[in-house]
Amino acid sequence: MRIQEIVIRTDRLDFPALTAGDGPVVVCWHGFPDHPMTFAPLARHLVTYGRRVVMPFLRGFHPATVDALHYSDSITLAADAAAVAQALGEPVDMIGHDIGAGMVGRVAAAWPDRLNRGVTLAVPPPAALAKVFEDPAQLQRLFHMFLFAVDGVAEAVLNTDRRLVDYLWATWSPRLVLDAEHKARIHAMYGDEKYLDNVLKIYRANFDPSRFDPALVDRGGRTEAVASKPLLVLGGGDDGCLDPRHFAGPHDGLAPGSEVEVLPRVGHFLHLEQPDTVAERVLDWLSR
């Protein structure tokens, strides 16, 4: 599979992206601490079945956009995904993982005309997550969110060394053996203090409304609501980030026709751990 880098020009920002294949577009959005190339094993299956896979870098996570994260809230990132879809010839299929999963869920809710079929990996859409913060054990799993919110402490932890990045990968996907090439890729990305600063901006926007784009605030009531389009929601039974119990009954926050499945013996990075299984579920969903 030949992967090349392109630039997707939108009315919001020019987004660097990796792409492979030809055919109907599937846009894949990554999360943290991650890189678009984590989608490569899944992309090989999609390309084989006649799809063009586009894997953009989140705003602020490529040298060309590292200084462009002026607003870092989740609605801003979702608006980016909607703009990329429009530029690629909306509606498009989308797959999102982690932060990217929230982006896809919010596009389905607030920009449904930009989305054809949507898949979220490892994180259900926003409207399905209401009870997560009522679970003390789950809050412990999300310690990084609260660590990142503490000014000065987070910078000290992340900028001193990058062992926290390795720890998150190891605890979120305990069965995964990360190959040396991809581990080096992750370390190269998060070894840059500018990218780490952008990580903190995104996490701090969860608790700091001053980081919201005022031009998009009116979208908030829609992005956090139940989407009008059904979604495929896939989780990992061994996910150390989000307890699989929170995937068991999220239908209250999903449109009719949505499907939820927790895959056994796989963690948070399920599309890297079991690309064959994830591809089978995704291709079936996208073909309907």
Side-chain angles (χ1 to χ4, degrees):
M1 180 180 69
R2 179 172 175 265
I3 296 176
Q4 59 181 333
E5 185 167 319
I6 61 171
V7 176
I8 303 167
R9 305 195 183 280
T10 81
D11 58 0
R12 292 178 54 77
L13 187 70
D14 292 344
F15 288 90
L18 305 177
T19 187
D22 295 296
V25 172
V26 183
V27 182
C28 300
W29 289 99
H30 70 91
F32 165 79
D34 210 354
H35 186 284
M37 279 295 290
T38 299
F39 278 105
L42 176 60
R44 290 189 182 94
H45 290 277
L46 300 178
V47 168
T48 297
Y49 279 84
R51 305 302 297 263
R52 180 190 179 202
V53 179
V54 178
M55 303 169 282
F57 290 81
L58 293 182
R59 173 190 292 262
F61 290 85
H62 184 279
T65 67
V66 71
D67 297 320
L69 198 63
H70 307 300
Y71 298 105
S72 53
D73 58 291
S74 57
I75 305 174
T76 289
L77 299 180
D80 288 345
V84 166
Q86 184 178 45
L88 292 173
E90 60 182 4
V92 299
D93 294 324
M94 289 188 202
I95 304 171
H97 173 252
D98 192 77
I99 291 172
M103 293 165 66
V104 173
R106 290 180 173 93
V107 170
W111 293 272
D113 55 314
R114 308 285 175 91
L115 178 67
N116 183 32
R117 303 287 281 178
V119 180
T120 74
L121 303 177
V123 179
L129 285 172
K131 295 184 178 180
V132 165
F133 290 97
E134 300 174 8
D135 179 354
Q138 179 58 49
L139 293 179
Q140 185 176 32
R141 289 171 178 250
L142 297 176
F143 79 94
H144 65 290
M145 290 184 62
F146 309 110
L147 171 66
F148 291 169
V150 183
D151 187 41
V153 174
E155 286 85 350
V157 170
L158 286 171
N159 291 333
T160 300
D161 62 55
R162 306 299 186 272
R163 283 183 295 173
L164 179 60
V165 171
D166 288 336
Y167 177 81
L168 294 177
W169 272 82
T171 55
W172 291 359
S173 277
R175 297 178 186 273
L176 175 65
V177 178
L178 196 61
D179 72 68
E181 182 180 3
H182 195 56
K183 184 174 182 178
R185 188 179 291 124
I186 298 297
H187 273 260
M189 173 176 277
Y190 297 103
D192 188 320
E193 290 187 8
K194 289 185 177 180
Y195 297 143
L196 290 176
D197 287 344
N198 285 340
V199 169
L200 298 182
K201 288 179 181 179
I202 288 175
Y203 278 94
R204 287 172 181 173
N206 290 318
F207 309 102
D208 183 359
S210 71
R211 298 177 184 272
F212 288 26
D213 185 348
L216 294 172
V217 168
D218 63 338
R219 290 269 183 176
R222 297 175 61 188
T223 58
E224 310 311 296
V226 177
S228 61
K229 286 200 167 185
L231 296 167
L232 173 63
V233 179
L234 297 178
D238 292 340
D239 193 332
C241 179
L242 187 63
D243 192 311
R245 291 184 298 106
H246 293 293
F247 285 86
H251 291 86
D252 289 343
L254 295 169
S258 297
E259 295 184 6
V260 180
E261 183 175 0
V262 175
L263 304 180
R265 299 178 63 81
V266 65
H268 191 70
F269 300 94
L270 58 163
H271 52 312
L272 185 60
E273 294 178 71
Q274 293 188 6
D276 296 359
T277 302
V278 173
E280 180 183 357
R281 305 297 194 276
V282 167
L283 285 165
D284 174 68
W285 180 255
L286 298 184
S287 66
R288 297 184 194 180

